[in-house]
Amino acid sequence: MNRFMWKGGLVVLGGTIQGFGMGLFLFPHFIPSGGAGGLAVLLNYTFGLGMGAALWVVNFTFLLLAVNYFGKRFVVWTVIAITITSLSVDFFQQQNLIVNRHLLYDLVLGSVFLGTGVGILMRQGVSNGGIGVVALMISSGRNILPGRPLFLLNGCIFVITALIIDLRLIFLALISQWISTKMVDLICQLQFYRLYTLGFRKKP
């Protein structure tokens, strides 16, 4: 029970920190937080769908790919994570906590919080949804840290998003991804408790 509560707390924490970075710092500038974030930005830009709702729809769609690979328990935990993240994004977007915005500060701070949140989730064997699911599949199969495949996959979506909305976004998005994926690998390499593990396994 203690192990379950500890993991549950970290999943909520990771999702909240991720949503904080996205909703308060990145999304106000339309900077994609990742592949799923890029697709969510496109849905928001094209159809006017709220960022939190768009992010949840994209994440859940990608998550369906993981059912047969990681199993139902993984999917349940990830649904919790993406729900907390989506609610956090909507909450922090509605808070006028930053009066005088600075693009560079928001880019760096948002990316650091984003990577920290994603790293906490991945250390629990939980995906942040979206492209993170595919990155976990690759890191699991090849026994590598998830930051590099996450960066490469997200980069492809950034190009598409920038071509549709604004070419300048690709540079901001790639910088954000570089910072956030470095944070993901940093968090994943830290040694705290045995509860943390990079030993993702396919379901029996």
Side-chain angles (χ1 to χ4, degrees):
M1 179 59 70
N2 289 338
R3 184 185 180 92
F4 175 83
M5 295 298 293
W6 177 253
K7 179 170 182 174
L10 288 173
V11 169
V12 172
L13 176 65
T16 302
I17 292 176
Q18 181 184 197
F20 176 74
M22 295 159 67
L24 188 60
F25 297 106
L26 299 179
F27 284 169
H29 298 285
F30 290 98
I31 301 173
S33 60
L39 295 176
V41 167
L42 285 176
L43 289 175
N44 174 261
Y45 180 81
T46 306
F47 302 106
L49 186 63
M51 287 300 301
L55 190 65
W56 194 92
V57 169
V58 172
N59 282 331
F60 185 77
T61 301
F62 275 101
L63 186 58
L64 296 178
L65 298 174
V67 176
N68 292 328
Y69 193 89
F70 289 111
K72 295 179 180 179
R73 182 176 298 178
F74 170 86
V75 171
V76 170
W77 278 113
T78 302
V79 167
I80 294 173
I82 65 175
T83 300
I84 293 297
T85 299
S86 296
L87 292 174
S88 298
V89 166
D90 279 342
F91 174 78
F92 289 113
Q93 273 196 313
Q94 294 171 8
Q95 307 304 311
N96 190 24
L97 300 178
I98 302 178
V99 179
N100 298 314
R101 288 192 171 276
H102 191 286
L103 176 59
L104 180 59
Y105 294 159
D106 285 357
L107 176 64
V108 173
L109 288 173
S111 302
V112 168
F113 282 114
L114 169 64
T116 300
V118 173
I120 291 173
L121 293 176
M122 287 189 169
R123 288 201 67 152
Q124 298 306 307
V126 177
S127 171
N128 62 315
I131 301 301
V133 172
V134 182
L136 277 180
M137 290 181 180
I138 295 174
S139 65
S140 171
R142 297 191 177 186
N143 195 28
I144 60 175
L145 291 171
R148 185 177 180 183
L150 192 62
F151 180 84
L152 294 175
L153 292 169
N154 286 338
C156 294
I157 296 179
F158 293 155
V159 172
I160 297 173
T161 305
L163 289 174
I164 294 176
I165 300 180
D166 188 338
L167 287 175
R168 291 175 296 180
L169 286 179
I170 190 172
F171 299 106
L172 298 175
L174 288 175
I175 292 172
S176 176
Q177 274 300 286
W178 184 81
I179 296 173
S180 62
T181 50
K182 288 296 182 182
M183 288 300 301
V184 168
D185 283 347
L186 176 63
I187 297 297
C188 286
Q189 287 175 321
L190 293 176
Q191 298 297 321
F192 292 127
Y193 299 99
R194 291 183 180 180
L195 175 65
Y196 293 108
T197 176
L198 281 175
F200 304 117
R201 299 180 180 177
K202 298 181 182 179
K203 68 175 185 178

